[in-house]
Amino acid sequence: MKHIFTAALILMAGSAQADEFHDAMQDFLAREVQGWMNDPVLIAAITAQNTQTAGYDQAEIDTLDQTWRAYVGMHDDPLISGVMTNAAADFLRDRVTASGGVITEAFIMDARGLNVAASAPTSDYWQGDEDKFTQTYPLGAEAVHFGDVALDDSTNEVQGQISATIVDPETGSAVGAVTVGVSLTDLLLAQN
């Protein structure tokens, strides 16, 4: 059944935008993600990194991003291991596992768009020039962005990304952003 459903979604995803899956993704955000995206462990990690990266200029950010890209896949790099081995990354991996296959990845970004923690390594370190960041954190507390839906070649799954601003519940201030990748096959099957 899942293979037939995935095949139908693959046909739809050929030119699909998130709009075609908006209701399911919006429901998943409200029902599953919003309950944990402002968890104290995530807020603490982002706040600590915001203090560290506040003075970074674009040249320093670009250098870090180039370093990440050069070493992605090698977990012994200090930059990558710092994002992958912390309490917030463990928290995100737990959310991925608890989703039963619906969440394919989760990562959080600081106020500069730099990775703070991730369930699995991302392809780059700086998200600050991508819609997942530019359409969330800079726009304030209520900002949400649904990314394009596409067939992931490595998993053969139709996936989309849900991104949202992370707000410190104690201050009401935006501190960073979260992106959650979702398998639309598993999401839609779970709803039926």
Side-chain angles (χ1 to χ4, degrees), residues 79-126:
L79 183 61
I80 295 171
S81 64
V83 169
M84 300 305 303
T85 57
N86 60 57
D90 292 341
F91 178 91
L92 294 172
R93 277 188 289 277
D94 289 345
R95 301 288 71 78
V96 171
T97 300
S99 77
V102 175
I103 299 176
T104 59
E105 67 176 337
F107 56 94
I108 56 173
M109 300 155 269
D110 69 9
R112 304 298 304 256
L114 298 168
N115 289 347
V116 175
S119 62
T122 58
S123 59
D124 57 351
Y125 180 61
W126 184 52

Side-chain angles (χ1 to χ4, degrees), residues 4-129:
I4 294 168
F5 198 66
T6 299
L9 286 175
I10 288 170
L11 291 173
M12 291 174 60
S15 62
Q17 299 294 312
D19 293 348
E20 295 176 43
F21 301 96
H22 182 272
D23 290 345
M25 292 170 73
Q26 179 67 46
D27 180 61
F28 187 74
L29 172 65
R31 188 174 33 86
E32 299 293 334
V33 179
Q34 286 180 327
W36 56 260
M37 67 184 232
N38 298 325
D39 189 273
V41 72
L42 302 181
I43 300 298
I46 294 170
T47 302
Q49 186 163 307
N50 281 344
T51 300
Q52 177 186 354
T53 62
Y56 286 11
D57 63 14
Q58 192 59 50
E60 188 165 3
I61 290 170
D62 290 342
T63 298
L64 290 168
D65 192 50
Q66 290 167 359
T67 300
W68 179 283
R69 289 171 189 246
Y71 289 98
V72 75
M74 297 179 233
H75 296 289
D76 59 344
D77 177 71
L79 183 61
I80 295 171
S81 64
V83 169
M84 300 305 303
T85 57
N86 60 57
D90 292 341
F91 178 91
L92 294 172
R93 277 188 289 277
D94 289 345
R95 301 288 71 78
V96 171
T97 300
S99 77
V102 175
I103 299 176
T104 59
E105 67 176 337
F107 56 94
I108 56 173
M109 300 155 269
D110 69 9
R112 304 298 304 256
L114 298 168
N115 289 347
V116 175
S119 62
T122 58
S123 59
D124 57 351
Y125 180 61
W126 184 52
Q127 315 301 321
D129 61 341

